[in-house]
Amino acid sequence: MIGRDRSRRRSSEDAWIITAPLAMVAVVCATITGLVADPPIGKWPQAALLLVLMIAAGLPLLSLIVRRQTVGVTLTELPFVFALYYLPPLTVVLVYTLASLVIHIRQRMSAPKVWFNVARAAAGASLATLVLQAFPPLSGVGPRVWGSVFAAVSILLMVSVLSVAAVHTLLHGWQTGRGILRTSKSGLVLSGINVSLALIVLIVVEGTWWSLLLLAVLGVGLALVYRSYAQIFRQHRTLTDLYDVTRAVTESGESGAIADALLGRVRALMQAEYATLWLPAQGPYPETLLTARVDDPGLLDLARTPPEIREMVRRSGRTIAVGRIVTTDPELRPLLTRHRVKDIVIVPLRSGQVVIGALEVANRLGDGNHFTGADIAVLETVAAHAAVALENSRLVDRLRHDANHDGLTKLPNRRRVTAAVAEAVKIRAPGEVVALLLFDVDRLRQVNESLGHAAGDKVLVEVAERLRACAPSSALVGRAGGDEFLVTLRLESAEAALELAGQLREQIRDEMVFDALTLDVDTAVGVAVHPDHGSDAVTLLQRVDLAATAAKSVPGSVQLYSPALESRSLRRLGLAGDLRRALDDGKLEVYFQPKVTLRDRRLVGVECLARWEHPAHGTVAPDDFVAVAEHTGQLGRLTEFVLRESLRHSRDWSRGERALAVSVNLAARTLTDQHFPVLVRELLDEYDVPPQRLTLEITESGVLDGTERPIPTLRRLRDLGVRLSVDDFGTGNSSLAQLRRLPVNEVKVDRSFVQGMATDPGDLAIVNAVVTLSQQFGLAVVAEGVESELTLELLQDIGCEIGQGFLFSRPLPYERLEAWFGAQVEPDTISVGELPRLRVVP
């Protein structure tokens, strides 16, 4: 776009540079003619008649617009030939000059243009009559007279064309002057036809004056034919230009290209000085104001007309036209006069019933030309096509935007982020990395299940806003899908990416309040960088997913990708089918780890743990195959298998007078299964095990997830008489006060605190506080990870009741557990109603 006119244009006042020499030529030639002609003047009645004919013939039958000016096709050559034949030379000059003056004043031209055209007419007529004096006197109508008349008219036309081209070149540049010369060719041909016609009429009139009647009829007919031809010519040109405009607009595509294709063509079609497209701000689209001006190659970002008129069109939804011929709002004429606007037509652009903008043309080229009703109809047709094209382009923009953005958070989606990462990888500068950070929102599923998806959507929108506000301005923040958000940017190193990930996690971590419920927003973050972790966007996205998955196993952590994560992920993928077959074939085992009272070392029960010995991979870690079971829908089968084995052995021990309680770990997802309490009741009945002998252990994050989701299932289990335990307590963000509202019987202190008691006063204080408060709340406390006598003594000192760990025994299969019973339990303590006591501590 061009914001302002860079080239200097001359004013029409400068036309005197051409007008003055023309006037001098007229005076000199007329003076010489007056001296040599005999008589120089006379025949005033005939002169008056020819003056009237010249004024009538001066009305343009066809108008051609060349840049800013109008070139009219007239029949002035006919009366001029008659004047040359019948009038003295100076009378011819006077009549022709007066006719030019009257014609141009009637067309309401500006004074400089009127005087230029009068001087041009006087100079041409004076030079033509002077040249005619060099030929023999005009008598008869033979070929000699034809040659003399053609020579005189040719001089007149040459002066006229050259002077017009000269003044246009002076005022508007050589391109305009060249255009005048190019368009004058057809005018010269028409002038030759007019001269020939005039000579034919002269021959007929010389034969008999009665032929004037027939010639008058013929003249009227020819005038009508000329008018019809001009109308047909204009209609054909309008239809051609209109087709060109609509085709260009249709093929332009985007709204910016539509303005480029539309405005220049509309300005030329309407023969206007200005054509303006105005689109007010709407939704994501800013205000657009572009103008095409004659003689300017580009578009201007301004308009000549007042903005309040365009606003009137938008509000009223109607076309506004102000001009000499058509005026819809005459009260606007003073406003346009102050802005030096001759006439305007502003048409609304509609999308259905809504006005989305306006198309405007101003200042019809040519002083005597003005916009008509037909012009308004043409502009309204163009506006209809333009409005459809603009709406289609905006629809395409919206579809393209929607295809690359998330509808809920308005962030770029995975496709858009992938394209951005691919582009960043291509142009990475030396000494920097392209970092990809994946934020996985914790416990979103529980929010959806407990509060509804509307609340989950609010959480996602809030996280998106916090990420967008906290991320550096150079970062691209997007939503990968579900509860995952991506941030990509350039950084100095992988360490800087890890540091930024931690900072962002802390900054977006804050409470969210939904009605009376307060949630803590936390995320697990995976980090991958190019070129260390991948050479393309797809690989980087895959590996940052692996890093985020690994980070979820440690709540609130930030995990950098490493090749070990990929091998573990591939291994888990391959284990899915093997786990199903292992469950079908009974290849899984249940191991048992004793739970012992710390004060008198009596065996109170065992924790039942699933173990899998894979034929190819060896021992599979429980975290791996439990995760596989969760993601492949086999969690229910795995839980039922462990429950059956635990209750079966508990029944067998009871029959052997060794009544031991069994503890089974539950995944958090199991608490969402409404049928699970029914299964527990059926299994207790099937194996005839008292409910109080079964303890179900749920991790702290699974029980205290910030929602009410697990409470109904926990209450149903409690109503069965089953004991409930909170496992790994202390690793999350909950407190013992929160446990008071849950139907639990036991708290298990996480091994990380128990094992650090002997060396870390902080861990000792934490365990002491948990034991003290739990006892006050009536909850039993089990310490995990008891591995040394010193730890055992410290636990005894603070009053912890039960412990389990390698100090007593590792998890053992059933056969080895029986051997352990024989080696560690004092036989005389095995009696009905009494817990067996351990003989020694290995």
Side-chain angles (χ1 to χ4, degrees):
M1 292 187 299
I2 301 174
R4 59 189 179 87
D5 185 14
R6 298 177 183 273
S7 60
R8 179 183 180 272
R9 291 189 177 89
R10 290 180 178 270
S11 168
S12 59
E13 302 289 340
D14 294 333
W16 67 267
I17 298 176
I18 304 298
T19 302
L22 289 176
M24 293 182 63
V25 169
V27 171
V28 171
C29 292
T31 301
I32 296 175
T33 301
L35 295 175
V36 299
D38 185 23
I41 57 175
K43 300 184 180 181
W44 300 113
Q46 297 91 327
L49 176 62
L50 289 173
L51 176 63
V52 173
L53 291 177
M54 284 188 182
I55 293 174
L59 298 176
L61 298 177
L62 185 65
S63 297
L64 302 176
I65 301 297
V66 180
R67 294 187 180 266
R68 293 174 175 268
Q69 303 300 325
T70 303
V71 178
V73 177
T74 64
L75 299 177
T76 52
E77 291 84 359
L78 274 73
F80 185 72
V81 170
F82 297 154
L84 290 177
Y85 191 84
Y86 289 112
L87 298 179
L90 290 186
T91 304
V92 172
V93 174
L94 181 61
V95 168
Y96 192 75
T97 304
L98 286 175
S100 176
L101 177 63
V102 172
I103 290 170
H104 291 100
I105 289 178
R106 283 184 57 193
Q107 292 178 351
R108 297 188 178 183
M109 289 187 175
S110 61
K113 291 185 178 181
V114 170
W115 294 121
F116 165 76
N117 283 287
V118 170
R120 172 173 63 89
S126 300
L127 188 58
T129 55
L130 179 60
V131 169
L132 195 60
Q133 300 306 309
F135 293 94
L138 300 180
S139 60
V141 287
R144 183 179 57 80
V145 173
W146 302 349
S148 301
V149 170
F150 267 107
V153 174
S154 298
I155 293 297
L156 175 69
L157 295 176
M158 181 183 66
V159 172
S160 178
V161 170
L162 292 179
S163 59
V164 170
V167 76
H168 282 197
T169 301
L170 174 69
L171 299 181
H172 307 297
W174 62 270
Q175 296 94 337
T176 306
R178 187 175 63 178
I180 292 292
L181 294 176
R182 187 166 53 248
T183 57
S184 66
K185 296 177 182 178
S186 57
L188 293 175
V189 173
L190 188 59
S191 296
I193 295 174
N194 290 339
V195 172
S196 300
L197 181 61
L199 290 174
I200 293 173
V201 172
L202 187 61
I203 293 172
V204 173
V205 170
E206 283 296 303
T208 172
W209 285 95
W210 288 104
S211 60
L212 288 175
L213 296 176
L214 298 177
L215 291 175
V217 174
L218 179 61
V220 172
L222 289 176
L224 293 176
V225 170
Y226 263 70
R227 290 284 184 180
S228 299
Y229 169 76
Q231 184 177 3
I232 294 172
F233 177 81
R234 283 194 298 268
Q235 290 176 349
H236 174 74
R237 186 186 62 187
T238 300
L239 289 175
T240 302
D241 293 345
L242 185 59
Y243 172 75
D244 179 61
V245 170
T246 55
R247 184 181 64 179
V249 168
T250 303
E251 295 175 352
S252 58
E254 299 180 357
S255 56
I258 289 176
D260 291 334
L262 175 68
L263 292 178
R265 290 177 171 84
V266 168
R267 190 210 58 74
L269 172 65
M270 301 299 294
Q271 298 178 0
E273 183 180 5
Y274 298 94
T276 300
L277 175 67
W278 176 61
L279 302 174
Q282 183 181 15
Y285 303 100
E287 181 182 16
T288 299
L289 182 65
L290 296 171
T291 298
R293 183 171 64 182
V294 65
D295 297 335
D296 279 314
L299 298 182
L300 310 174
D301 54 359
L302 51 85
R304 186 74 174 270
T305 54
E308 49 264 40
I309 301 181
R310 289 187 291 274
E311 188 62 32
M312 286 177 57
V313 172
R314 187 185 67 82
R315 289 197 306 268
S316 64
R318 64 182 178 87
T319 298
I320 290 182
V322 179
R324 180 180 175 187
I325 299 177
V326 179
T327 299
T328 60
D329 297 79
E331 67 277 5
L332 298 177
R333 194 183 302 277
L335 179 62
L336 293 178
T337 301
R338 288 196 298 270
H339 285 79
R340 301 177 64 184
V341 176
K342 181 178 68 172
D343 48 6
I344 62 166
V345 177
I346 306 180
V347 177
L349 300 175
R350 298 180 182 275
S351 175
Q353 299 299 320
V354 180
V355 176
I356 62 173
L359 183 62
E360 164 191 340
V361 289
N363 289 355
R364 185 72 179 266
L365 294 176
D367 291 337
N369 296 330
H370 299 273
F371 296 118
T372 64
D375 295 323
I376 295 176
V378 170
L379 187 60
E380 287 176 341
T381 302
V382 173
H385 286 282
V388 171
L390 283 168
E391 193 62 20
N392 289 342
S393 70
R394 288 186 171 183
L395 176 60
V396 171
D397 290 342
R398 287 194 294 271
L399 291 175
R400 186 181 294 115
H401 180 275
D402 292 344
N404 291 286
H405 289 77
D406 172 52
L408 175 65
T409 63
K410 310 306 179 185
L411 292 176
N413 57 17
R414 179 179 284 268
R415 176 187 301 175
R416 176 69 184 87
V417 174
T418 301
V421 173
E423 187 66 23
V425 165
K426 291 180 182 177
I427 57 175
R428 181 184 67 89
E432 68 178 11
V433 299
V434 178
L436 201 57
L437 284 56
L438 180 62
F439 293 79
D440 192 300
V441 182
D442 288 342
R443 300 191 300 276
L444 181 65
R445 181 172 181 176
Q446 292 90 325
V447 174
N448 287 333
E449 293 173 349
S450 303
L451 303 178
H453 286 275
D457 290 345
K458 290 181 180 179
V459 171
L460 291 174
V461 171
E462 181 64 23
V463 171
E465 291 297 330
R466 293 179 182 181
L467 264 180
R468 192 156 32 195
C470 298
S473 58
S474 60
L476 174 66
V477 180
R479 184 185 177 193
D483 55 359
E484 296 179 341
F485 293 87
L486 282 165
V487 177
T488 180
L489 73 166
R490 302 174 186 276
L491 292 171
E492 298 82 9
S493 62
E495 291 73 19
L498 281 173
E499 182 180 356
L500 175 63
Q503 292 173 356
L504 290 178
R505 176 184 166 273
E506 289 300 323
Q507 290 174 2
I508 66 175
R509 185 181 178 185
D510 200 355
E511 292 182 344
M512 287 188 188
V513 179
F514 295 98
D515 298 328
L517 185 63
T518 301
L519 300 180
D520 289 329
V521 178
D522 203 356
T523 55
V525 191
V527 179
V529 299
H530 168 78
D532 299 348
H533 303 145
S535 58
D536 58 86
V538 175
T539 302
L540 287 171
L541 286 168
Q542 175 190 355
R543 291 176 174 174
V544 78
D545 274 331
L546 292 175
T549 302
K552 285 192 290 186
S553 62
V554 181
S557 69
V558 178
Q559 176 69 53
L560 183 66
Y561 168 80
S562 67
L565 297 177
E566 187 163 17
S567 62
R568 183 179 181 186
S569 176
L570 292 174
R571 184 186 180 198
R572 282 188 175 182
L573 185 62
L575 291 177
D578 297 338
L579 178 61
R580 182 177 291 106
R581 288 189 291 272
L583 288 170
D584 293 338
D585 300 338
K587 298 297 184 182
L588 269 68
E589 294 185 77
V590 174
Y591 279 40
F592 306 90
Q593 186 174 29
K595 298 169 68 175
V596 180
T597 59
L598 301 181
R599 182 65 59 187
D600 52 8
R601 298 177 185 172
R602 291 186 179 274
L603 182 64
V604 295
V606 291
E607 181 176 1
C608 306
L609 304 166
R611 293 294 185 264
W612 182 19
E613 192 71 22
H614 193 278
H617 299 295
T619 301
V620 181
D623 287 345
D624 285 345
F625 68 77
V626 171
V628 169
E630 285 191 275
H631 287 91
T632 58
Q634 302 180 74
L635 182 61
R637 292 187 62 194
L638 178 61
T639 303
E640 182 179 353
F641 166 77
V642 178
L643 274 173
R644 284 186 177 276
E645 289 295 301
S646 304
L647 294 175
R648 181 171 65 85
H649 289 298
S650 179
R651 178 194 62 188
D652 295 343
W653 289 325
S654 298
R655 290 174 180 175
E657 298 182 350
R658 188 187 297 144
L660 292 178
V662 291
S663 299
V664 176
N665 290 294
L666 297 183
R669 185 172 296 181
T670 304
L671 297 179
T672 65
D673 185 359
Q674 298 179 356
H675 302 289
F676 180 70
V678 178
L679 174 65
V680 173
R681 184 186 62 198
E682 292 174 349
L683 292 177
L684 288 172
D685 294 341
E686 179 181 346
Y687 292 100
D688 193 22
V689 175
Q692 64 272 14
R693 202 172 291 172
L694 173 63
T695 300
L696 299 177
E697 299 182 3
I698 308 100
T699 59
E700 177 188 357
S701 59
V703 177
L704 300 170
D705 60 355
T707 71
E708 302 293 322
R709 179 190 58 83
I711 295 180
T713 302
L714 293 174
R715 286 175 177 167
R716 291 175 62 190
L717 292 171
R718 179 199 60 184
D719 294 341
L720 292 176
V722 173
R723 289 175 55 82
L724 300 174
S725 175
V726 178
D727 196 9
D728 299 334
F729 189 81
T731 58
N733 300 316
S734 57
S735 65
L736 282 168
Q738 293 175 288
L739 293 178
R740 297 180 62 186
R741 63 185 181 89
L742 298 178
V744 297
N745 310 96
E746 179 181 278
V747 173
K748 297 186 73 173
V749 184
D750 187 70
R751 69 179 67 250
S752 61
F753 299 108
V754 175
Q755 292 174 349
M757 290 175 57
T759 57
D760 190 339
D763 288 343
L764 178 60
I766 291 173
V767 176
N768 188 18
V770 172
V771 171
T772 302
L773 290 176
S774 296
Q775 291 173 348
Q776 291 179 1
F777 293 153
L779 301 176
V781 181
V782 178
E784 298 181 292
V786 181
E787 299 182 358
S788 67
E789 288 287 350
L790 178 57
T791 302
L792 176 63
E793 292 174 2
L794 292 173
L795 290 170
Q796 290 174 340
D797 291 342
I798 63 178
C800 184
E801 303 166 353
I802 302 171
Q804 66 182 89
F806 291 173
L807 179 64
F808 307 113
S809 175
R810 296 175 179 270
L812 301 172
Y814 179 74
E815 294 79 8
R816 292 182 58 189
L817 180 67
E818 290 295 326
W820 183 87
F821 282 155
Q824 303 299 327
V825 175
E826 296 180 1
D828 56 351
T829 63
I830 303 176
S831 61
V832 178
E834 184 179 1
L835 295 173
R837 185 194 301 272
L838 299 186
R839 181 185 296 124
V840 294
V841 177

